Structure formats: structure tokens, C-alpha cells
């Protein structure tokens, strides 16, 4: 992370020279905020080797698990920030991301802690700036209070269009969205996961 200025995602992946001396360029860059143990991030990286993945997580145990998964799968297209994702969002250039994920963030259920929630007006504004037109923002939660919070903020944000046609669209996980251990635990505990997909407007 630069102390000042912007961070070009391409610079993070421009490290492996090709046989002709050129440098490999990723087609686009995706960000996962709060990747937990990293199962979703590693799965997406394995499925999309042409994409450069940025992951931010503050808890070291999750980072260690992801690093082990990266080594096991021999993934070379993930870069990790062990810090607050908002620092990364602030440093990224405009329209530099092709997709972003905030999956099952801490709901901070007490009223006095709502200001700590990752899904906020400020975060959505930062994502609106850093996501290119047509890019997708994916949100998930198993907390009904947080779901209401997300629905009050994200679909009405002027930069985003909610990609929903019916109730099943936000109660069923898309095929290219793997189940994580956290989601499995939530279902086992009787909680219902909800999945929101939004598209950055022009």
C-alpha cells in the first residue's frame, strides 16, 4: 500500500515476465472485502486465472488459511492486504475494478455499533468510484437486520442497479458463487443466507 497517491492494481501483478520479454497483464481486477478464511476468493481465483484478485482481511487466522490454500492450489493471481479494506479502496484509481464482493460481513447488531458496518454509504460511494461501468457488486448476509440495512442503502444508491427479478434471485446463490464454511455454519444454525447482486451503472 502506498502511503500517499494511488495504487495501480496492474503494478501488483506485473511481476512475471513472459518468454518474449513482455509482462503478463490481467484482463481485469476483482476485490473481496473481508474474505474470512478465503474459500470464496481462492475458488474465484482458480476459476478465473485471467483476473487479478485483491483481498482485504484484518484477521490473521483467515489470512493464514488463505495462504495455505494459495500454496496448495498454486495460485499466482491473488494479492492480500492485511488491513482495513477502506484504505485499499481509497488508494485504487477510478474505474479500476471489474467486480467486488462483501460476503457475510460482521453485522454489528447493536444500534451503537452500526457505524462500524462495512456496507455503508461511504463504502458504496467508494465502490461506485472504483468499479467500472457494468461491473458487479455482490453482497451476502445471514443476518435479517443487516439485510434490511443493505436493502435500505445499496439498491437505492444512484450508481447501482439491483439485479433482481423475483424473491428467488436473492434467496438462491448463483452457480458461480461457491458456498463457504461460514455459510454452511449459518444454515446449520437455522439462519437463512441472502445474496444481492448489483451492477454499476454507466
Amino acid at each position: 500500500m502506498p502511503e500517499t497517491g494511488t495504487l495501480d492494481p496492474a503494478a501488483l501483478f506485473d511481476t512475471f515476465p513472459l518468454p518474449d520479454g513482455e509482462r503478463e497483464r490481467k484482463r481485469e481486477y476483482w476485490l473481496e472485502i473481508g474474505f474470512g478464511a478465503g474459500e470464496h476468493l481462492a475458488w474465484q481465483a482458480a476459476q478465473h486465472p485471467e483476473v487479478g484478485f485483491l483481498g482485504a482481511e484484518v484477521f490473521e487466522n483467515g489470512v493464514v488459511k488463505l495462504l495455505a490454500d494459495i500454496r496448495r492450489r498454486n495460485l499466482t493471481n491473488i494479492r492480500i492486504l492485511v488491513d482495513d479494506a477502506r484504505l485499499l479502496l481509497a488508494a485504487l484509481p477510478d474505474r479500476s475494478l471489474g467486480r467486488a464482493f462483501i460476503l457475510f460481513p460482521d453485522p454489528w447488531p447493536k444500534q451503537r455499533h452500526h457505524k462500524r458496518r462495512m456496507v455503508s454509504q461511504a463504502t458504496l460511494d467508494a465502490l461506485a468510484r472504483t468499479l467500472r461501468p457494468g461491473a458487479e457488486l455482490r453482497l451476502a448476509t445471514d443476518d435479517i437486520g443487516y439485510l434490511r440495512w443493505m436493502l435500505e442503502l445499496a439498491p437505492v444508491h444512484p450508481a447501482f442497479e439491483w439485479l433482481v427479478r423475483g424473491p428467488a434471485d436473492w434467496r438462491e446463490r448463483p452457480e458461480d458463487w461457491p458456498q463457504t464454511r461460514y455459510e454452511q455454519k449459518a444454515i446449520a444454525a437455522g439462519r437463512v443466507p441472502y445474496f444481492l447482486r448489483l451492477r454499476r451503472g454507466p
Side-chain angles (χ1 to χ4, degrees), residues 164-181:
V164 63
R165 293 181 177 86
D169 289 348
W170 49 291
R171 293 177 181 169
E172 296 179 4
R173 181 171 25 82
E175 291 182 1
D176 64 340
W177 188 332
Q179 189 178 54
T180 64
R181 279 177 286 181

Side-chain angles (χ1 to χ4, degrees), residues 25-26 39 52 81 83 89 92 100 108 120 133 138-139 167 177 193:
R25 285 285 184 175
K26 295 300 181 186
E39 308 104 310
L81 172 68
D83 209 329
L89 278 173
L92 288 172
W108 294 106
S120 66
R138 294 185 172 187
L139 308 174
W177 188 332

Side-chain angles (χ1 to χ4, degrees), residues 106-118 149:
D106 191 327
W108 294 106
K110 294 182 179 179
Q111 182 78 30
R112 66 178 183 273
H113 293 155
H114 284 183
K115 61 185 178 181
R116 300 184 184 181
R117 288 177 168 175
M118 181 53 68
W149 174 275

